[in-house]
Amino acid sequence: MRMSAFFLPVLKENPSEAQIVSHRLMLRAGMIRQASAGIYSWLPLGFKVLKKIEQIVREEQDAAGCQEVLMPTIQSAELWRQSGRYDDYGKEMLRITDRHEREMLYGPTNEEQITEIFRESAKSYRELPKLLYHIQWKFRDEVRPRFGVMRGREFLMKDAYSFDLDEAGARRAYNKMFIAYLRTYARLGLKAIPMQADTGPIGGDLSHEFIVLAETGESAVFCDKALVDRDPLAEAIDMDSDLQPMVNSWTARYAATEEKHDEARFNALPAERQVAARGIEVGHIFYFGTKYSKPMNAAVAGPDGQPVTLHMGSYGIGVSRLVGAIIEASHDDAGIIWPDAVAPFNVALINLKADDAACRAACDDLYAKLKAAGLDVLYDDTEERAGAKFATMDLIGLPWQLTVGPRGLKSGVVELKRRATGERHELSPEAALAKLVG
Ligand code: P5A
């Protein structure tokens, strides 16, 4: 993409409404624009990141044997009356009436919808177990939408649902999601720690929140440092094996949010392993047994022909919130530092003197070769001054900056900078290409 053609409305000034760094940087970098309170439009740079995160989430769900579907955003109130949640959900639910005076709602979650789909189509225990997910917009009329996409009213969630014959089966599904979540966050460049948590309006008695440690997090959290140091990607996993021992090895160590905090257990840890911090909830998984299947009559015929009520769980990842969470975890004074896996472009190619024929020829050549090698490149071919170009590239945080200037070219070199470390190297264009293409 050439910068001269790219829609990148960066802001020079700090937006006054932004209280936390991710919100400020997302607005300044032209990633999002507020449409109304807690509702955002995603501009090209932000949308690219959102799609990359979505894709990693999708790959790990697929690898865990979860099948993708797509349910609507608008649901019928009737379904929610069947589960008994229509009144319970209160003012957080956006209620809509259609032209026939039928009550509808903008879905805050999809337990009812998926239970209905499954109830109508699955008849026998032989069709179990099943895991289904979708990645769809949700609406919750939060009292205080704030911090940009971190606590929005409209937000993108990956929500998965499991269907099993009994609690043991449901536990296997829960464990798959538990491990898939650890892998997902690690691939996104994040450290997310599974913690005991309250179940709130989703219900059930088994649940874990996945928490990214960050100063601006909304909740106080407490955990054993061994969990922070553990890398889920360093461990080989067979999703079809018994995952209980591995899940136990995570949950045996202390980790809890404020509501579930046990001061005595925490204080029993050696002092150097006590981590008291703030955290961002980027995911939440639940086992709730028959909470929805029972009132909604979702059952299949068991081996003896008798109906068996389904045991269910639901598993959420805050996809749009993750964009903010990654920035909270990875930035400096100059701007965002994207982890390679979610960066909107791999390389920033900066022409320091766009009206210089030699610079232009060298840049055009590098641009063509980088693209041919499959890299996504943002090529600053504009006539802005050098300082402004560097400031914009630092702000939008692409992993590599490749700078071409007239002085360097005379001695046959370009400059390659790693955004995360600030490390710079002068090298020939060919050597730079080799390093980037790897
Ligand atoms: C699990 C999947 C559920 O809704 N039902 C389907 C269950 N869980 S949850 O914890 O309420 O939400 C799942 C994740 O969604 C993100 N999230 C939000 N992101 C941005 N703005 C919001 N207002 C918001 N509310 C929830 C969180 O990451 C949460 O873990």
Side-chain angles (χ1 to χ4, degrees), residues 109 111 140 142 149-152 155 157 159 161 202 281-284 286 314-316 318 321:
T109 176
E111 279 81 5
R140 294 182 185 173
E142 303 270 351
V149 300
M150 298 275 260
R151 182 162 293 283
F155 60 97
M157 191 201 289
D159 37 327
Y161 302 87
I202 306 294
E281 181 199 324
V282 290
H284 200 160
F286 304 81
S314 73
Y315 315 88
R321 174 178 288 184

Side-chain angles (χ1 to χ4, degrees), residues 49 52-53 56-57 60 181-193 211-213 228 230-233 282 322-331 337-343 418 420:
V49 176
K52 290 220 164 170
I53 295 174
I56 290 175
V57 169
E60 291 300 324
Y181 275 36
L182 289 170
R183 290 184 48 82
T184 303
Y185 300 120
R187 280 187 62 193
L188 294 171
L190 287 173
K191 276 209 178 301
I193 299 161
I211 303 279
V212 169
L213 303 183
V228 184
R230 189 166 169 184
D231 176 10
L233 296 180
V282 290
L322 272 166
V323 182
I326 291 170
I327 297 173
E328 290 295 329
S330 184
H331 67 269
I337 303 173
W338 291 114
D340 290 279
V342 298
R418 181 77 179 153

Side-chain angles (χ1 to χ4, degrees), residues 74-90:
I74 306 294
Q75 304 179 20
S76 128
E78 171 47 28
L79 268 181
W80 287 67
R81 289 214 173 83
Q82 292 176 21
S83 73
R85 276 208 296 185
Y86 191 60
D87 293 327
D88 291 357
Y89 227 93

